[in-house]
């Protein structure tokens, strides 16, 4: 299922936000692995990413290189986690993290998921996207996953939890094709 409103006609300097394909799996692994090594996110293997590739949204440059990614981890028909949010260090501050999270929200809504949550070491990112602070104890499914991972030797770094309801009043955010142009417009308008 393509993300609506996006064209694949790219010009130099343009980023495109789209559903990930199997061909993106290696680049996603390369993007998330340094964050996992720092304990900022849970580790992923190439097989895990490839088997769940339909749950990933990526931002790519004109050449198709993955610059940012995020994934949707479903826990029930109405609940999912926004996970694996990663942006290439050279691309920080360009809105790519926001765009892939908005893409994951669109994917969640297309699957009739009404509530998403995310865990983060920082508050501002998810709060700026309309998420509300909550406690991870609200999600026993996540706590059970953490327990299982901890028993297998994975170190779990405590993070803050954020939640967003994607009910019938939620409307799909507009995704942008050229993020740099949009950022310039915001600076000019602001």
């Amino acid at each position: 299922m393509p993300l609506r409103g996006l064209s694949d006609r790219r010009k130099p300097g343009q980023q495109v936000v789209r559903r990930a394909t199997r061909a993106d799996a290696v680049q996603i692994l390369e993007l998330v692995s340094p964050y996992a090594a720092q304990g900022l996110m849970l580790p992923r293997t190439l097989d895990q990413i490839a088997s769940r590739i339909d749950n990933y949204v990526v931002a790519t440059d004109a050449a198709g290189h993955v610059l940012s990614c995020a994934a949707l981890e479903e826990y029930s028909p109405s609940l999912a986690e926004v996970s694996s949010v990663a942006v290439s260090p050279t691309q920080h501050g360009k809105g790519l993290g926001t765009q892939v999270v908005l893409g994951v929200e669109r994917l969640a809504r297309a699957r009739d998921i009404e509530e998403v949550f995310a865990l983060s070491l920082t508050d501002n990112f998810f709060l700026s996207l309309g998420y509300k602070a909550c406690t991870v104890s609200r999600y026993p499914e996540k706590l059970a996953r953490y327990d299982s991972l901890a028993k297998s030797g994975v170190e779990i770094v405590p993070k803050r939890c954020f939640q967003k309801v994607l009910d019938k009043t939620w409307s799909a955010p507009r995704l942008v094709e050229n993020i740099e142009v949009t950022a310039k417009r915001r600076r000019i308008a602001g």
Side-chain angles (χ1 to χ4, degrees), residues 54-68:
D54 289 340
N55 296 332
Y56 281 85
V57 173
V58 295
T60 63
D61 64 13
H65 299 110
V66 174
L67 304 173
S68 179

Side-chain angles (χ1 to χ4, degrees), residues 36-86:
Q38 296 172 44
L40 300 174
M41 69 174 54
L42 293 175
R44 304 284 193 269
T45 66
L46 182 58
D47 287 342
Q48 288 170 328
I49 293 168
S51 69
R52 297 180 182 127
I53 201 69
D54 289 340
N55 296 332
Y56 281 85
V57 173
V58 295
T60 63
D61 64 13
H65 299 110
V66 174
L67 304 173
S68 179
C69 68
L72 185 70
E73 295 286 334
E74 295 181 50
Y75 286 93
S76 74
S78 62
L79 176 68
E81 178 184 5
V82 177
S83 68
S84 297
V85 180

